[in-house]
Amino acid sequence: MSPLVVLVGPPGSGKSTIAALLAERLHTKHRDTDVDIEAGAGQPISDIFVDHGEPHFRALERAAIVAALNDNGEVLSLGGGAILDPDTRADLAGHTVVYLDVSLGEAVKRVGLGVARPLLLGNVRTQLRNLMDARRPLYDEVAKLTVITDGKTPEEITEEILGHLGARG
């Protein structure tokens, strides 16, 4: 059992948007582990970070990913930092993982400068650049397919992924 496709990438890459479009085109459900974490914890991720710290959040994230990877036939989007966990990267090896790559400038535009993302507090552009630079090798490691999202509509990105999957919804 496994998801049809798993989307990874930094904040602002379009994971949630593209996952929803892919699920619609593939006539299946979309699952977002960040949504699962918030539902299970009963609070937003930003509050989890503040109230319990990043290690607690990462433990919740790991549990959500394990559960989601056992669901069959869904389109799954993971939080931007999910690939930091070596066990998660190992678990992703048997799955169709698509890395949605985005430039720093485009990610900053999409994320905005005042969003409630706990790892982007302070200078959003600098924090996002550091985060993307550190994580890029890990996204590359798990990805079966990398899709550059800059200058493309969500529909174009979805079509590109469907083409690589050999599926047309």
Side-chain angles (χ1 to χ4, degrees), residues 32-164:
D32 184 319
T33 55
D34 282 350
V35 172
D36 291 351
I37 293 164
E38 290 181 339
Q43 64 184 144
I45 289 172
S46 57
D47 290 351
I48 297 169
F49 266 78
V50 170
D51 294 347
H52 307 285
E54 185 175 358
H56 178 74
F57 168 75
R58 295 297 175 200
L60 295 175
E61 181 177 56
R62 176 70 184 137
I65 291 167
V66 168
L69 288 175
N70 286 316
D71 274 355
N72 204 24
E74 294 181 336
V75 175
L76 176 62
S77 58
L78 303 184
I83 46 75
L84 294 172
D85 185 287
D87 291 332
T88 295
R89 291 196 308 275
D91 288 348
L92 291 173
H95 298 277
T96 301
V97 179
V98 177
Y99 166 28
L100 298 179
D101 196 0
V102 63
S103 69
L104 176 62
E106 190 65 25
V108 169
K109 282 187 221 169
R110 293 177 187 174
V111 168
L113 298 177
V115 297
R117 293 183 189 246
L119 294 180
L120 298 181
L121 296 176
N123 183 324
V124 173
R125 187 177 186 86
T126 299
Q127 296 288 19
L128 192 53
R129 183 187 65 235
N130 293 342
L131 183 145
M132 289 170 74
D133 287 348
R135 294 177 180 176
R136 187 172 310 277
L138 302 176
Y139 293 131
D140 286 334
E141 176 186 325
V142 300
K144 303 279 189 289
L145 170 67
T146 298
V147 176
I148 306 295
T149 64
D150 288 22
K152 297 176 186 170
T153 66
E155 292 76 16
E156 290 169 333
I157 296 163
T158 300
E159 281 299 321
E160 184 173 339
I161 295 168
L162 288 171
H164 284 285

